Amino acid sequence: MKITESRMSSLMVSVSGVRGIVGEALIPEVVAKFSAAFGRLTQEGMIVVGLDTRTSNQMFRYAVFSGLLSSGCEVVDVGVCPTPSLQLMVEKLEAGGGIAITGSHNPAEWNALKFIRSDGLFLYPEQGKRLLQIYAKERIPRVKWDEIRQVHHDNLAIENHLNKVLNTVPRRKIKDRRFKVVLDACNGAASLISPQLIRRLGCEAIELNCRPNGIFPHPPEPTPSNLKQLSEVVKSEGADIGFAHDADADRVAVVTEKGEILSEDYSLLLATKFVLSKRKGLVVTNLSTTQALDDIAGEFSSSVQRTKVGDIHVSRQMKEKKAVIGGEGNGGVIIPEVHYARDGIAAIALLLEYLAEANEPISKLAGELPRYYMVKKKLEFTKGDFSLLKVRLKEEFKGEKLDFLDGVKITLKEGWIHIRPSGTEPVIRIITEAKTRKEAENLYQLALGLI
Ligand code: MG
């Protein structure tokens, strides 16, 4: 078994959407058929379509329109906007659903479709399954020539999102502090909205990579290795904080005033600490998110519920259980006052509010958080049978805390191990976490020995 950086040419289809490399697996025919299938699923409703900035989107947007029109839908084209802006527009327009054309955090050669329900959340897995069944049919029923509806254009997605977010924070308090904020949008979908948000909160916005042309100056995932330029600019400008989004801006990561690049899970930790300090309540995240979140919740006599990996599981649980905050360790923060979706723009507003109220620099707020070390790797797992592995692990760890909600999570005294088969690739993911790097590595070695 060898460690792999898999770059597959096949189409990756799962209940959460479809993605692939442009021109290889992801071609207009596939996109049009998926869109037609989604049109059938929503039963000829009004569908809102939005996109990030990537250059392949001009090709795919017309394929999406064609597919939707062919199954009798009316289309509202909201153009380039973050995925959370699109999700809010689906709600506002009381549409039957939405399609986001976005490769999200993936490099420029990738693209994908994300399917949105009428309540602005992504398809629940059972609906995703139904969509795949429709897609798998040789012929999807199409409407006749005289039943084809219209494509309308609507350019209010960003303004609607801005207003929604601005109404959830005390603007005055933030304005008084006149923060200097650097924003790296990676020339993606947040290039316009996030600098505007920062300015409307009375702060100075320094735009970095805010040309919405889809030419990514660095890989669009807001992980530490991609934020060096942001760190430099924060330091050279003497800014109070720096933020970076992925290409569709459902995620955000933070750089401190000292130029320290915080790993992307800090966004959720900071947001959670601030929200719980004002209002105790339930926190929801997935099984692979840091234990630091439980420690923070514990400080405020609150608890954390864990879901399967995948943002829809977190959104759904938050909505059903009325959580006060939640999200994922990848920079995805969900703030229920705005909606039950990961929202990098809403997260910026909340974190600026925290900064204004705490009256401490962001480096200090981050430094006070509990810290763990994580090892994340993936292994090729083509012939393996995960259920056999489960049985073995049960034997091996008799008496320890085992959770089989999503793969297996083994919680030990020194930390935890999460082993999970990927839903889209022939790999298994192994994540371990402990108080020290050495212990996390040891747990990883232990996990490897088990497989
Ligand atoms: Mg994203």
Side-chain angles (χ1 to χ4, degrees):
M1 204 173 283
K2 68 178 198 302
I3 294 173
T4 163
E5 275 301 312
S6 64
R7 186 193 131 111
M8 300 187 42
S9 59
S10 59
L11 196 65
M12 294 186 185
V13 177
S14 74
V15 291
S16 59
V18 53
R19 70 189 170 106
I21 292 177
V22 177
E24 289 182 20
L26 200 68
I27 51 174
E29 295 89 315
V30 168
V31 165
K33 191 177 178 194
F34 255 105
S35 303
F38 183 66
R40 295 306 301 180
L41 181 77
T42 55
Q43 295 180 329
E44 305 169 17
M46 176 169 86
I47 305 299
V48 189
V49 179
L51 41 147
D52 72 19
T53 56
R54 56 190 76 216
T55 51
S56 58
N57 277 346
Q58 287 311 314
M59 173 171 76
F60 289 129
R61 77 192 301 187
Y62 297 106
V64 168
F65 295 166
S66 292
L68 289 172
L69 293 172
S70 76
S71 48
C73 296
E74 188 177 338
V75 174
V76 180
D77 169 22
V78 295
V80 171
C81 67
T83 299
S85 311
L86 170 61
Q87 290 175 276
L88 285 169
M89 272 315 257
V90 170
E91 273 189 86
K92 185 185 163 67
L93 298 174
E94 298 180 356
I99 297 181
I101 312 170
T102 171
S104 190
H105 58 282
N106 292 294
E109 65 267 32
W110 287 85
N111 213 331
L113 301 181
K114 292 184 183 176
F115 299 100
I116 299 163
R117 292 155 37 108
S118 59
D119 62 357
L121 266 56
F122 292 121
L123 289 187
Y124 284 0
E126 57 270 28
Q127 294 160 328
K129 271 189 200 131
R130 178 87 194 98
L131 175 66
L132 295 185
Q133 284 164 358
I134 301 173
Y135 177 77
K137 282 188 190 151
E138 200 151 302
R139 267 181 58 85
I140 297 168
R142 314 284 177 142
V143 297
K144 290 205 234 48
W145 69 274
D146 57 350
E147 292 164 339
I148 296 167
R149 293 159 81 186
Q150 300 287 313
V151 178
H152 309 278
H153 299 277
D154 184 323
N155 57 9
L156 293 175
I158 287 177
E159 189 59 26
N160 175 58
H161 190 181
L162 270 176
N163 288 331
K164 186 103 189 177
V165 171
L166 286 166
N167 285 336
T168 61
V169 288
R171 292 153 82 163
R172 195 57 209 251
K173 224 179 247 174
I174 301 170
K175 208 170 190 163
D176 288 346
R177 300 293 306 279
R178 299 185 180 284
F179 293 125
K180 194 170 182 180
V181 182
V182 186
L183 190 282
D184 182 353
C186 199
N187 293 339
S191 294
L192 301 176
I193 187 170
S194 290
Q196 269 198 58
L197 172 80
I198 291 163
R199 289 189 187 112
R200 280 166 68 172
L201 287 169
C203 303
E204 182 184 344
I206 296 161
E207 297 184 12
L208 176 65
N209 306 318
C210 289
R211 284 175 299 274
N213 58 15
I215 311 291
F216 302 146
H218 54 75
E221 188 160 28
T223 46
S225 58
N226 296 331
L227 305 189
K228 290 179 189 130
Q229 192 193 7
L230 175 61
S231 162
E232 289 306 317
V233 176
V234 167
K235 278 190 285 187
S236 65
E237 291 283 346
D240 296 288
I241 192 167
F243 292 107
H245 290 295
D246 68 332
D248 70 332
D250 55 347
R251 302 196 200 175
V252 72
V254 175
V255 166
T256 74
E257 82 288 355
K258 293 179 177 164
E260 298 160 289
I261 301 170
L262 302 180
S263 66
E264 63 275 28
D265 56 358
Y266 271 91
S267 308
L268 178 60
L269 298 178
L270 288 162
T272 300
K273 185 163 182 182
F274 179 54
V275 167
L276 293 181
S277 73
K278 309 186 107 191
R279 188 154 68 100
K280 288 175 192 168
L282 180 68
V283 182
V284 177
T285 192
N286 67 44
L287 283 169
S288 287
T289 305
T290 175
Q291 165 74 21
L293 198 65
D294 303 74
D295 297 0
I296 293 167
E299 280 176 44
F300 299 97
S301 325
S302 296
S303 66
V304 177
Q305 261 181 24
R306 302 246 172 197
T307 69
K308 287 183 179 183
V309 173
D311 60 336
I312 188 54
H313 300 295
V314 179
S315 292
R316 185 178 195 169
Q317 182 96 318
M318 284 183 70
K319 191 172 184 180
E320 286 171 7
K321 301 280 173 66
K322 300 201 163 47
V324 295
I325 184 83
E328 299 176 303
N330 57 14
V333 182
I334 300 172
I335 300 163
E337 284 72 22
V338 182
H339 52 168
Y340 289 98
R342 296 191 303 198
D343 188 331
I345 292 92
I348 288 181
L350 184 80
L351 293 176
L352 287 176
E353 183 189 351
Y354 185 19
L355 206 55
E357 276 202 12
N359 213 2
E360 301 273 13
I362 187 69
S363 60
K364 181 144 192 296
L365 299 177
E368 287 166 351
L369 295 172
R371 206 54 210 149
Y372 291 85
Y373 291 87
M374 222 184 241
V375 175
K376 288 187 201 179
K377 290 193 175 145
K378 56 182 176 181
L379 288 181
E380 214 172 280
F381 193 68
T382 39
K383 295 188 209 77
D385 181 344
F386 199 79
S387 56
L388 288 178
L389 181 63
K390 255 184 180 174
V391 176
R392 272 194 45 215
L393 291 172
K394 263 188 195 167
E395 282 286 305
E396 196 85 27
F397 291 98
K398 242 183 218 160
E400 304 287 357
K401 198 182 152 210
L402 293 183
D403 186 333
F404 292 102
L405 179 64
D406 190 357
V408 57
K409 185 171 179 179
I410 308 157
T411 308
L412 302 165
K413 200 165 71 273
E414 60 272 37
W416 54 263
I417 301 169
H418 189 196
I419 306 171
R420 186 173 72 83
S422 164
T424 49
E425 298 169 76
V427 299
I428 50 172
R429 297 179 195 285
I430 303 176
I431 303 181
T432 66
E433 189 183 61
K435 264 289 175 197
T436 65
R437 192 183 303 269
K438 184 146 194 323
E439 277 176 321
E441 283 290 349
N442 287 346
L443 286 175
Y444 177 68
Q445 290 306 326
L446 175 65
L448 268 190
L450 295 165
I451 293 166

